[in-house]
Amino acid sequence: MRAAVVDGYGGVDRLHVRDVAEPEPPGTGQVLVRVRATSVNPLDWKIRNGSLRFVLPARFPLIPGFDLAGEVAAVGPEVTRFEPGDPVFGQTGARLGGACAELALASELTLASIPEGVSMEDAAALPMAGLTALQALRDQGELADGESVLINGAAGGVGHFALQIARILGARTAGVASGQGGGLVRGLGAGRVFNYQVEDFTADDSTYEVVFDAAGTSSYERCAPLLAENGIFVTTEAGPRTFFDVLATRFRGLAGEDRRARFVRVKANVADLELLGNWTRLGRLRPVIQAILPLEEIRQAHQASETGHANGKTVLRVA
């Protein structure tokens, strides 16, 4: 089968598309998926370039990619929700990916049925970024109807979903983006847009119940003045600084401090995938796809994501 393969830590030159052996037959609770489309996330190239080697050490060669959409090719023992031919989307559930191939193994617990009317490309764009946005706002940010949220990186893969999900949850929204991304953010319904290239959004006088750093480029220290009483700062950046902020705000909470710092660690689960798929079917959630490229152009897709300035998602068409 054709697959994208990473031969070692480094730049995009370590990525190649070639024929490799097909996966083993699905084991207990596993589904073999014939992949039609996948999408690129920052986690993919962070694993490839070695910046996560101490957290997610890789064994090469490896097939990258976590998101997938396609049809069930075979099911393993104890799989009850799917049969061969069923259209599915979700994540592989593997530590290091495996989705950028014609066939990929996934756990039944990380897949959902593609709703009628949702394309393979839209379904492939949803899982990691959509789940991150949903779980950041609903679970970590505890965002409620009538509250306000500021999203840093609102035009990005996670951010553009977060902006739409916040509105679905009934929140008032503001977004931070580049001048190029500002039009997209306004079009998705942000009540206010900050252009980070010409203004410092942290200097604003407004306050928000939730500040979501979807881009992972800011910090609790910078954003704390933007938080309302009992406000929550949520970030996708799970580095040492974030861990310190999380612990520090917990300790200060014992002394009466009411603002908190949290980070989101995405968890693939069926209920959330089904929710994202249903919102997409109803037109309430719209994956913004910057480009649809063939698998052979995975290098270009990684490069676009690594710039940090991509709007929406880049999808790779596998078959």
Side-chain angles (χ1 to χ4, degrees), residues 9-267:
Y9 291 128
V12 294
D13 59 304
R14 305 311 301 267
L15 269 172
H16 304 276
V17 176
R18 62 174 183 250
D19 289 333
V20 300
E22 294 185 359
E24 296 292 325
T28 301
Q30 286 187 317
V31 176
L32 183 66
V33 179
R34 189 168 302 282
V35 182
R36 301 301 182 186
T38 181
S39 70
V40 174
N41 297 286
L43 181 59
D44 302 333
W45 52 262
K46 288 180 180 179
I47 290 173
R48 187 211 73 227
N49 69 19
S51 59
L52 296 178
R53 70 178 71 193
F54 299 111
V55 181
L56 291 172
R59 295 180 62 183
F60 301 105
L62 70 85
I63 297 172
F66 293 88
D67 294 342
L68 53 78
E71 297 98 15
V72 173
V75 298
E78 300 183 18
V79 171
T80 60
R81 296 172 46 241
F82 302 114
E83 297 179 353
D86 288 348
V88 294
F89 77 109
Q91 295 186 284
T92 60
R95 289 179 67 253
L96 297 171
C100 291
E102 291 179 321
L103 293 167
L105 285 171
S107 167
E108 180 185 24
L109 301 178
T110 62
L111 294 174
S113 297
I114 299 177
E116 186 175 352
V118 176
S119 70
M120 288 288 177
E121 290 79 11
D122 280 354
L126 282 171
M128 183 170 289
L131 289 169
T132 300
L134 174 63
Q135 294 168 10
L137 296 178
R138 183 195 62 193
D139 303 337
Q140 299 302 322
E142 302 174 24
L143 187 65
D145 185 14
E147 293 186 334
S148 59
V149 57
L150 173 71
I151 299 165
N152 181 37
V158 173
H160 89 281
F161 283 128
L163 185 59
Q164 296 176 78
I165 290 171
R167 298 188 69 224
I168 293 172
L169 296 176
R172 301 184 304 275
T173 57
V176 182
S178 66
Q180 180 182 9
L184 170 62
V185 174
R186 290 186 189 89
L188 292 175
R192 186 172 182 185
V193 180
F194 296 90
N195 180 352
Y196 69 78
Q197 294 171 315
V198 297
E199 57 186 325
D200 180 5
F201 72 92
T202 64
D204 185 50
D205 293 332
S206 303
T207 58
Y208 306 85
E209 279 76 22
V210 178
V211 174
F212 177 31
D213 183 18
T217 57
S218 193
S219 67
Y220 173 77
E221 182 180 9
R222 291 190 64 217
C223 294
L226 297 170
L227 292 174
E229 183 178 354
N230 294 314
I232 301 175
F233 170 80
V234 186
T235 182
T236 56
E237 177 55 50
R241 179 183 65 189
T242 300
F243 286 111
F244 173 81
D245 290 335
V246 171
L247 291 174
T249 56
R250 284 180 183 173
F251 281 120
R252 289 200 293 269
L254 300 176
E257 169 65 55
D258 59 11
R259 293 176 296 185
R260 290 153 287 171
R262 294 175 177 171
F263 69 92
V264 57
R265 180 179 295 166
V266 65
K267 298 176 182 177

